[in-house]
Amino acid sequence: MAETPKLRLYNTLTRTKEDFVPLDPANVRMYVCGPTVYDFAHIGNARPVIIFDVLFRLLRHLYGEKHVTYVRNVTDIDDKINQRAFDRWTRKRPLLDEVKALTDITAAQYEADVAALGNLPPTHAPRATDFVCNGSQPTDMVRVIGRLVDRGFAYAAEGHVLFHVPSMSAYGRLSRRPLDDMIAGARVEVAPYKKDPMDFVLWKPSDPATEPGWDSPWGFGRPGWHIECSAMAGALLGQTFDIHAGGIDLIFPHHENEIAQTCCAFGVDKMASVWMHNGFLQVEGQKMSKSAGNFFTIQDVLKDWPGEVVRLNMLKTHYRQPIDWTVRGLEESRKTLDEFHTNGSAPEGGSPKEFIDALADDLNLPKALAVLHRYRKEERYADFNSAIQLLGLPTVADLRGRATIRFRASGVLTGVDSDSVEQSVSKRLAARRAKNFAESDRIRDELLAMGIQLKDGKDPVTGEPVTTWEVKR
């Protein structure tokens, strides 16, 4: 029997790479902070989803699919969402129902976007609003806040409930920031009812006329942001679990405050054994922002590039490093996938040990991709296909089952209707099969006049005609 590779992960909490030892090998548990569904997700939001989907796949490979639980939450209540819901509210239904109607749309689009990028669905995708006060769950936000108050770590003041940071001596151990930096980084609200400037909100009052809320022991109100994840993770994974992951921007204050809430509410010394964080994403060397004109939603990018190209482009950089999102990089990823998909099909059952060893070394994706290229060069197609599936990328067989035509854009397509182009290419393929070469040439010339260049070839396995297309330079 093959030896199971040793999984090593970089732990932000200890700043070291450590051997991963699950609390219970029969129930490996991972929590990843998901989206705030105020609006459609941007391309930066796609990075943690893709990276930690690969980790999910690896954990399932190592421990068995039935022995891994993955929770990725949805934040569907915050002040931006509340304001947007209020602005569209017709008062024909409760404001909280308006919030749900709004976030149902954005959450559904998010799920569609990340599925198009090749991600597996998580085991659980809890919505924050279902865990505010829910007696059917093992715990909820109101109960966690109540425990913090009862244990002396939080206090009520003017309709608010605040976590008292000085009450936890170990506060700051994740981010390791000096107090002044933490105060600046938390952008703390100065309020006369606070005992300490660092104290953060667990519960805040709502105006029933303009804001959604729930009844609680502290009055009608709504939860703070940080308490959401403590409650959802506690309910679905337990008070302590194996891996907590998210973007590097969440280390402070969000993850720091999660640790404080969970440890103090439940009397445990840790919330998660391993904390993992992916690096920032820039666009063409600049910070992504709407004002800079380089802000792209996942939907925007998927209009111009296949999901597998976007996914591979995210996987070429080590997850802890910053990534520069460029058209050139996407073109290179497209070219790489074109090369990958010229391989012959192979039966299931590959054992890509070197590839898995690379992934098991703190998700060393650049090294894993180098091994993948070597498998292809050595014509180890069974290992190649098993490895590519672990990355969540399609094999040749996947593509052949999905469509005969494969979209291969060589740049960002502005104003090009890819669906219309593919329909024309499909008609041309039908004309070629019927030996109607006049119609085939007419469609080719029509597309060429639109700036679309075709390339005819054959599927390397079936010998069937295949046509790819790109924007002519």
Side-chain angles (χ1 to χ4, degrees):
M1 183 175 178
E3 181 182 353
T4 302
K6 181 183 293 184
L7 177 59
R8 289 176 59 78
L9 299 172
Y10 183 85
N11 190 349
T12 307
L13 188 64
T14 61
R15 304 298 197 270
T16 58
K17 195 187 296 185
E18 304 170 349
D19 291 347
F20 176 67
V21 181
L23 298 170
D24 177 5
N27 184 21
V28 181
R29 289 159 287 164
M30 177 172 71
Y31 186 97
V32 176
C33 284
T36 298
V37 287
Y38 161 70
D39 208 339
F40 298 142
H42 59 72
I43 193 63
N45 300 139
R47 192 178 191 196
V49 182
I50 292 172
I51 291 298
F52 298 117
D53 176 73
V54 173
L55 178 58
F56 180 38
R57 292 168 184 270
L58 178 62
L59 291 171
R60 284 161 42 115
H61 178 83
L62 297 178
Y63 295 97
E65 292 184 11
K66 296 181 180 180
H67 302 293
V68 182
T69 302
Y70 171 24
V71 175
R72 187 182 69 221
N73 75 291
V74 175
T75 295
D76 59 348
I77 187 81
D78 83 338
D79 288 346
K80 286 184 177 181
I81 291 172
N82 298 344
Q83 183 62 55
R84 192 169 173 185
F86 177 75
D87 290 342
R88 55 178 259 172
W89 189 31
T90 63
R91 291 167 177 75
K92 293 181 180 179
R93 55 186 171 186
L95 183 52
L96 198 53
D97 289 349
E98 192 69 46
V99 169
K100 185 177 188 308
L102 169 65
T103 55
D104 278 350
I105 296 170
T106 48
Q109 185 61 57
Y110 175 82
E111 296 301 334
D113 288 345
V114 297
L117 297 176
N119 297 294
L120 296 172
T123 315
H124 304 286
R127 294 179 64 148
T129 50
D130 292 332
F131 288 79
V132 178
C133 45
N134 187 341
S136 67
Q137 294 293 343
T139 193
D140 59 32
M141 299 176 210
V142 168
R143 278 181 280 170
V144 174
I145 295 170
R147 289 180 65 92
L148 289 167
V149 173
D150 293 344
R151 291 171 60 86
F153 293 100
Y155 58 93
E158 299 185 19
H160 296 76
V161 182
L162 298 107
F163 185 92
H164 188 42
V165 170
S167 67
M168 184 189 187
S169 59
Y171 186 85
R173 62 182 175 178
L174 179 69
S175 56
R176 301 188 185 184
R177 293 186 175 193
L179 179 60
D180 289 346
D181 287 354
M182 285 196 289
I183 292 174
R187 298 188 295 277
V188 294
E189 177 188 359
V190 177
Y193 48 78
K194 282 189 174 185
K195 292 182 179 180
D196 186 273
M198 281 293 294
D199 294 352
F200 59 88
V201 172
L202 303 171
W203 188 263
K204 50 191 171 184
S206 292
D207 180 347
T210 59
E211 295 170 319
W214 292 259
D215 292 323
S216 80
W218 314 284
F220 185 75
R222 59 198 191 278
W225 174 34
H226 312 300
I227 196 65
E228 297 176 4
C229 289
S230 286
M232 287 184 280
L236 297 171
L237 297 177
Q239 298 169 5
T240 301
F241 50 93
D242 296 298
I243 299 169
H244 195 313
I248 194 172
D249 56 314
L250 297 180
I251 294 176
F252 186 85
H254 186 52
H255 288 168
E256 193 75 74
N257 291 350
E258 280 188 55
I259 292 171
Q261 295 161 166
T262 296
C263 292
C264 293
F266 299 114
V268 294
D269 62 355
K270 62 183 179 182
M271 180 181 185
S273 300
V274 179
W275 289 80
M276 299 177 68
H277 296 92
N278 62 273
F280 287 116
L281 179 142
Q282 293 184 321
V283 176
E284 302 288 354
Q286 295 184 326
K287 181 179 179 180
M288 185 171 62
S289 70
K290 291 182 179 178
S291 60
N294 64 353
F295 183 92
F296 302 103
T297 67
I298 299 174
Q299 285 185 77
D300 292 334
V301 175
L302 287 174
K303 289 176 184 176
D304 300 328
W305 300 92
E308 60 263 27
V309 172
V310 178
R311 185 178 183 90
L312 178 59
N313 208 50
M314 286 286 189
L315 298 179
K316 293 189 300 187
T317 303
H318 194 283
Y319 78 94
R320 286 192 281 118
Q321 299 301 316
I323 184 172
D324 191 15
W325 192 258
T326 66
V327 170
R328 181 176 179 180
L330 286 161
E331 289 172 341
E332 291 171 351
S333 297
R334 181 266 307 164
K335 182 179 178 182
T336 297
L337 281 167
D338 278 346
E339 293 170 352
F340 284 176
H341 294 148
T342 61
N343 292 327
S345 61
E348 298 293 327
S351 300
K353 181 182 183 305
E354 308 99 313
F355 178 85
I356 294 170
D357 286 346
L359 286 186
D361 181 15
D362 192 35
L363 295 184
N364 191 335
L365 287 157
K367 183 177 180 180
L369 287 170
V371 173
L372 197 61
H373 282 284
R374 179 160 58 82
Y375 286 163
R376 178 177 174 272
K377 182 177 181 181
E378 295 173 356
E379 298 185 1
R380 293 170 57 180
Y381 293 138
D383 290 344
F384 177 91
N385 285 343
S386 295
I388 209 169
Q389 288 173 325
L390 267 172
L391 292 180
L393 295 168
T395 64
V396 172
D398 293 330
L399 287 176
R400 191 166 61 248
R402 191 167 70 192
T404 305
I405 306 156
R406 297 198 292 273
F407 166 51
R408 295 290 176 260
S410 64
V412 175
L413 308 183
T414 303
V416 173
D417 183 345
S418 59
D419 288 339
S420 175
V421 172
E422 293 192 9
Q423 288 174 13
S424 295
V425 174
S426 182
K427 290 176 181 177
R428 182 172 174 273
L429 273 173
R432 287 178 66 203
R433 292 192 185 102
K435 300 188 184 302
N436 186 348
F437 299 115
E439 177 66 5
S440 170
D441 291 346
R442 185 193 68 77
I443 296 173
R444 180 198 61 201
D445 294 342
E446 184 180 80
L447 289 171
L448 188 60
M450 295 167 53
I452 305 298
Q453 187 164 319
L454 304 182
K455 182 178 180 181
D456 295 324
K458 291 185 178 181
D459 186 291
V461 178
T462 67
E464 289 292 314
V466 173
T467 297
T468 58
W469 62 273
E470 63 183 17
V471 177
K472 186 179 180 182
R473 295 282 176 157

